[in-house]
Amino acid sequence: MSETAAEVVICGAGIGGVAAAYHLVKRGITRVVLVDERPALSLTSDKSAESYRNWWPGPGDSMVALMNRSIDLLEELARESDNVFLMNRRGYLFATAQPEQIERYVRAAAEAATLGVGPARIHRTPGGDYQPAPATGYEGQPTGSDVITDRSLIRRHFPYLADDTVALLHARRCGWFSGQQLGMYMLERAREKGVRLIEGRVERVQTAGGRVTGVTLAGGRTIGTARFVNAAGPYVKDVARLLGVELPIFCERHAKVAFHDTLGVVPRHAPMMIWTDPVRLHWTEEERAELAQSDSHRYLLDEMPAGVHGRPEGGGDSPIMLGVWTYDVEPMEPRFPLEFDPAFAEIVLRGLARPIPGLNAYLSRLPKYFVDGGYYTKTRENRLLSGPLPVEGAYILGGLSGYGMMSSNGAADLLADYIADRPLPRYAPAFHLDRYDDPAYRASLEEEADDGQL
Ligand SMILES: Cc1cc2nc3c(=O)[nH]c(=O)nc-3n(C[C@H](O)[C@H](O)[C@H](O)COP(=O)(O)OP(=O)(O)OC[C@H]3O[C@@H](n4cnc5c(N)ncnc54)[C@H](O)[C@@H]3O)c2cc1C
């Protein structure tokens, strides 16, 4: 294929752009050029915690429907590739020590069932028929969620959790996989069918008569095309400006820590665990006095937000645990390289030690750890954008936030339906940029709502 003309040019070879190329090829559109100024999958898409879930809040069932479709596609890919990206189905285990949360868990499970997450199973007695998830594989597993409120059942299956844990909600169509392996698998399949990956920076998008006609890269090379997909990750807003389009998108910095659980505190077969209670970190008197003097870290003496979470990472003899805690995010311009608070690893470990007290053993001397991260590129209501832009022939696949690995197949499948002029799924309007033209939708954004971010 000549590089001077293409049916579709995609800017960005992160998981969004790669998935877009893959799903265009699946619809017979193979004259596709992927342009990236960096190596494929290297900016945000290799910083993810690589987890997936169909557990998403409303309003409406669009997020659940899109995510179910995305997970269907991930499962298809896992089947055809002999699970080269090691997809598992261990689930997300939400946990609380607050008795008043018990019935909230029961209600959340019932509400999730109405959104399409799958059935709610409540286990209130020691003999409850709760089935734990297998460590590997994804086939033949239940959907929906299990709520366990019997303390002996909790202890039997999750003895490493704090003794005062009173309820668990185990969401089942959830787990994790290798995002790099997934991305490389899709990229290779797309390239086999003719997709070209070009190194370069998209600097201009030409239009004539209000329609896309070509894309110019740094250095002046131009690719003629009638269709352009903006999948530029944290730079999606800048790239949209090349078309004169202003996107309601912002970035937040997010980090994760990988630490060595050499004492084996968390069993290697454990699911993802999310503590849904706020946490007060444990400090000695001396540490308290020191923190009280610190302008940057005094807040660590206060109650910290709910949501600290973690999971084992890697197979075989891997001792690695991943930990994430979103306690201090704010909108910012994306700048690289990112810098993280040197105390982040310790803060996350201390947070995780609340639900998993065995981790306290590491607090006097931190284990080996590694912190990295990137930007969540988000819309205000944390719903991605997939579909046409207001310039004929221009499209977006962006705003993938903290869920781009799990959603990119669903989002790219939707985008490819637009480009191939196929019938659209019923959830399409929820991810179209023109939703913001609806005053009722804009007004709904003023209401405080759970945006599903963990
Ligand atoms: C700490 C952390 C944890 C996360 N955990 C999860 C998780 O558990 N599950 C999950 O599903 N998701 C998770 N995510 C989110 C996920 O990683 C992202 O949503 C996803 O990687 C975004 O992919 P992308 O393709 O949109 O962007 P990127 O991967 O950033 O790719 C965008 C590409 O566009 C290129 N580009 C930009 N501008 C130009 C230009 N002008 N010319 C040429 N190329 C350009 C860039 O070089 C880049 O390669 C996490 C993210 C972070 C930071």
Side-chain angles (χ1 to χ4, degrees):
M1 180 182 60
S2 153
E3 285 172 13
T4 55
E7 241 174 306
V8 184
V9 173
I10 303 172
C11 174
I15 198 71
V18 166
Y22 177 85
H23 286 283
L24 285 170
V25 162
K26 288 207 57 156
R27 283 157 182 78
I29 300 174
T30 56
R31 290 179 61 235
V32 176
V33 173
L34 261 170
V35 184
D36 204 306
E37 57 183 328
R38 299 178 176 81
L41 303 162
S42 69
L43 186 62
T44 316
S45 298
D46 64 351
K47 311 296 185 307
S48 149
E50 307 179 304
S51 308
Y52 73 92
R53 56 182 155 125
N54 77 340
W55 184 266
W56 284 89
D61 64 354
S62 301
M63 278 301 277
V64 176
L66 175 87
M67 220 54 91
N68 271 333
R69 173 70 181 147
S70 206
I71 298 169
D72 287 347
L73 292 165
L74 286 167
E75 289 176 352
E76 265 174 37
L77 283 159
R79 262 172 226 126
E80 71 171 50
S81 69
D82 204 13
N83 204 4
V84 70
F85 53 96
L86 302 173
M87 181 167 180
N88 73 36
R89 182 72 175 266
R90 295 193 193 182
Y92 277 30
L93 190 73
F94 298 90
T96 180
Q98 295 179 336
E100 65 274 21
Q101 296 297 328
I102 297 175
E103 291 313 312
R104 277 194 60 193
Y105 274 24
V106 172
R107 282 198 301 279
E111 192 191 323
T114 68
L115 296 180
V117 170
R121 295 166 293 272
I122 315 299
H123 309 276
R124 293 190 193 267
T125 59
D129 59 351
Y130 166 74
Q131 298 294 324
T136 57
Y138 55 92
E139 302 275 24
Q141 290 305 304
T143 60
S145 60
D146 293 270
V147 178
I148 310 178
T149 63
D150 179 80
R151 305 261 301 250
S152 63
L153 205 53
I154 294 173
R155 288 220 57 74
R156 192 184 326 148
H157 290 287
F158 303 99
Y160 52 95
L161 292 181
D163 276 346
D164 59 348
T165 306
V166 292
L168 301 176
L169 187 156
H170 193 178
R172 304 305 290 256
R173 202 174 190 208
C174 312
W176 58 92
F177 53 80
S178 163
Q180 285 290 297
Q181 299 278 11
L182 168 71
M184 287 315 292
Y185 179 79
M186 289 196 291
L187 182 57
E188 279 162 22
R189 299 291 82 71
R191 291 175 86 172
E192 278 166 12
K193 299 282 184 198
V195 170
R196 298 288 306 268
L197 174 62
I198 295 181
E199 190 183 326
R201 175 179 175 77
V202 172
E203 286 199 336
R204 281 185 59 206
V205 184
Q206 282 93 355
T207 56
R211 309 173 71 99
V212 170
T213 56
V215 174
T216 303
L217 312 188
R221 183 163 156 196
T222 293
I223 307 169
T225 187
R227 294 199 179 86
F228 173 74
V229 177
N230 175 1
Y235 295 112
V236 79
K237 201 167 170 157
D238 297 338
V239 170
R241 285 188 182 135
L242 301 178
L243 288 151
V245 174
E246 207 47 50
L247 293 177
I249 289 261
F250 61 94
C251 287
E252 283 173 355
R253 183 179 49 191
H254 284 257
K256 67 177 195 290
V257 55
F259 62 91
H260 287 228
D261 178 16
T262 44
L263 301 174
V265 172
V266 179
R268 299 310 300 170
H269 61 264
M272 166 83 93
M273 193 286 312
I274 303 115
W275 189 246
T276 61
D277 302 344
V279 171
R280 267 192 190 279
L281 299 181
H282 177 74
W283 303 105
T284 61
E285 278 311 311
E286 205 177 314
E287 288 163 339
R288 286 188 160 279
E290 206 178 306
L291 285 168
Q293 300 304 315
S294 160
D295 286 343
S296 60
H297 288 97
R298 192 178 304 122
Y299 69 91
L300 295 173
L301 296 171
D302 300 336
E303 186 175 82
M304 302 276 287
V308 64
H309 56 285
R311 65 165 180 82
E313 165 65 11
D317 297 335
S318 164
I320 308 287
M321 273 287 293
L322 288 187
V324 176
W325 198 2
T326 306
Y327 54 80
D328 68 342
V329 286
E330 55 185 44
M332 58 171 68
E333 287 301 311
R335 294 210 199 298
F336 294 90
L338 285 93
E339 285 176 8
F340 302 105
D341 181 354
F344 179 77
E346 181 177 353
I347 294 168
V348 176
L349 208 59
R350 284 180 182 272
L352 278 173
R354 167 64 182 92
I356 306 172
L359 294 176
N360 278 307
Y362 296 122
L363 297 186
S364 52
R365 188 153 173 263
L366 289 189
K368 223 156 102 180
Y369 67 82
F370 177 70
V371 171
D372 72 354
Y375 292 99
Y376 285 12
T377 305
K378 299 172 55 173
T379 60
R380 178 166 169 186
E381 74 280 38
N382 204 21
R383 290 199 172 184
L384 60 82
L385 289 166
S386 175
L389 288 171
V391 175
E392 184 75 31
Y395 300 83
I396 178 160
L397 201 167
L400 297 181
S401 184
Y403 57 84
M405 309 312 291
M406 64 180 98
S407 65
S408 45
N409 270 277
D413 172 69
L414 169 59
L415 185 79
D417 280 342
Y418 278 109
I419 295 177
D421 214 6
R422 297 267 183 97
L424 300 174
R426 68 179 168 76
Y427 49 78
F431 303 101
H432 197 298
L433 179 63
D434 70 5
R435 64 190 191 245
Y436 298 108
D437 297 343
D438 175 1
Y441 188 82
R442 281 205 312 277
S444 73
L445 301 180
E446 302 303 324
E447 288 157 26
E448 208 167 292
D450 178 6
D451 66 3
Q453 181 158 300
L454 289 179

